[in-house]
Amino acid sequence: MRSFTLISALLLCSLTSESHTVEVQSGGDVTLMCSNISSTPTLTEWFRVINRTKPSCVFSMYGSDSKPSFCDGFQNGFEMSSNISTVFLKIKRVDLSDSGLYFCGFYIEGHTVIASATHLKVQDSNSVICLVEESDGMTNFLIVILGVLTVFLTIVVIVLAVKIRKLQTVCDSEYSDLQDLGSDELNYAALNFQAKPKRSRRPASERELEPHVVYAATR
């Protein structure tokens, strides 16, 4: 029966995809639960699988009124209990070695039936502190970077505003000079384009007789 149970546990570890995860910090206590699927008293066992390759029996008990017993290799630190609807496994002062996949097995009518599984993750309290400190350090670094970028962008905006103001002043000055110069050139052109007076020819009768010229009349 034990060999068949271990084979069933190995199959569960390789095929199960419905296990839920429980996270706890090292040094604390945790209680795992699975549903009691047997309607009559039967042999119930808690199993643990480490790295999905090595299933091990942790506790076993018959029915909910009997005294649970440790399996080989396990000692104090685990407590098993059961009632009509739920089977419990309490682990005291957990450490990193307690991480793994836990599940219940019920021996019903000559077959081992596997109940729901729980993936226990034990976090080292020191590593949690380090992660918090690292996160705080990264946050402070990002704040400094954002402050530097803000100051830099502010300086760039001020410099551009000053340059635009100077260019606008120069353009206004040149435009005013062009307006004055254009007015003078127009006046000069008006003077140059004035029509020249035409010389009028006097009739021959009104011309004065030139001196020292002999006039003769012939028929």
Side-chain angles (χ1 to χ4, degrees):
M1 181 183 68
R2 180 59 54 82
S3 176
F4 184 78
T5 302
L6 293 179
I7 293 173
S8 300
L10 182 60
L11 290 175
L12 174 68
C13 294
S14 61
L15 299 176
T16 184
S17 60
E18 298 180 357
S19 62
H20 65 280
T21 301
V22 174
E23 295 184 359
V24 61
Q25 292 186 8
S26 61
D29 297 344
V30 62
T31 300
L32 308 180
M33 297 178 292
C34 70
S35 299
N36 189 352
I37 61 176
S38 176
S39 59
T40 60
T42 185
L43 180 65
T44 305
E45 295 177 317
W46 270 102
F47 292 93
R48 183 180 73 171
V49 177
I50 301 175
N51 297 328
R52 297 180 178 273
T53 58
K54 185 181 179 182
S56 301
C57 174
V58 179
F59 249 117
S60 65
M61 65 183 301
Y62 188 88
S64 59
D65 297 330
S66 63
K67 183 179 179 180
S69 59
F70 284 106
C71 297
D72 295 337
F74 289 90
Q75 298 177 355
N76 294 332
F78 293 87
E79 294 181 359
M80 182 178 179
S81 60
S82 176
N83 57 32
I84 297 176
S85 61
T86 308
V87 180
F88 304 93
L89 179 65
K90 183 177 181 180
I91 308 175
K92 298 180 179 180
R93 295 181 297 277
V94 296
D95 56 26
L96 296 177
S97 63
D98 293 323
S99 298
L101 185 68
Y102 292 80
F103 58 92
C104 293
F106 299 88
Y107 190 72
I108 302 175
E109 297 181 355
H111 301 282
T112 300
V113 180
I114 304 302
S116 58
T118 301
H119 187 198
L120 177 62
K121 287 186 177 181
V122 180
Q123 298 179 348
D124 189 0
S125 58
N126 294 329
S127 62
V128 172
I129 294 174
C130 291
L131 289 175
V132 172
E133 292 179 351
E134 183 178 354
S135 177
D136 292 339
M138 182 61 68
T139 302
N140 294 332
F141 177 74
L142 291 176
I143 291 175
V144 172
I145 293 297
L146 290 175
V148 172
L149 289 176
T150 302
V151 173
F152 176 75
L153 292 176
T154 302
I155 294 174
V156 170
V157 170
I158 293 174
V159 171
L160 290 176
V162 172
K163 287 186 176 181
I164 292 173
R165 183 62 180 173
K166 288 183 178 180
L167 289 174
Q168 186 177 3
T169 303
V170 172
C171 291
D172 292 341
S173 178
E174 291 181 354
Y175 181 73
S176 178
D177 294 341
L178 288 175
Q179 281 186 332
D180 295 339
L181 182 60
S183 177
D184 294 340
E185 289 181 349
L186 289 175
N187 293 333
Y188 178 76
L191 292 175
N192 287 340
F193 279 98
Q194 289 181 355
K196 293 182 179 181
K198 294 182 180 181
R199 293 188 303 173
S200 58
R201 294 185 177 181
R202 292 179 297 173
S205 59
E206 295 179 1
R207 295 179 183 175
E208 295 180 357
L209 296 178
E210 295 182 1
H212 308 292
V213 177
V214 178
Y215 296 93
T218 60
R219 292 183 180 179

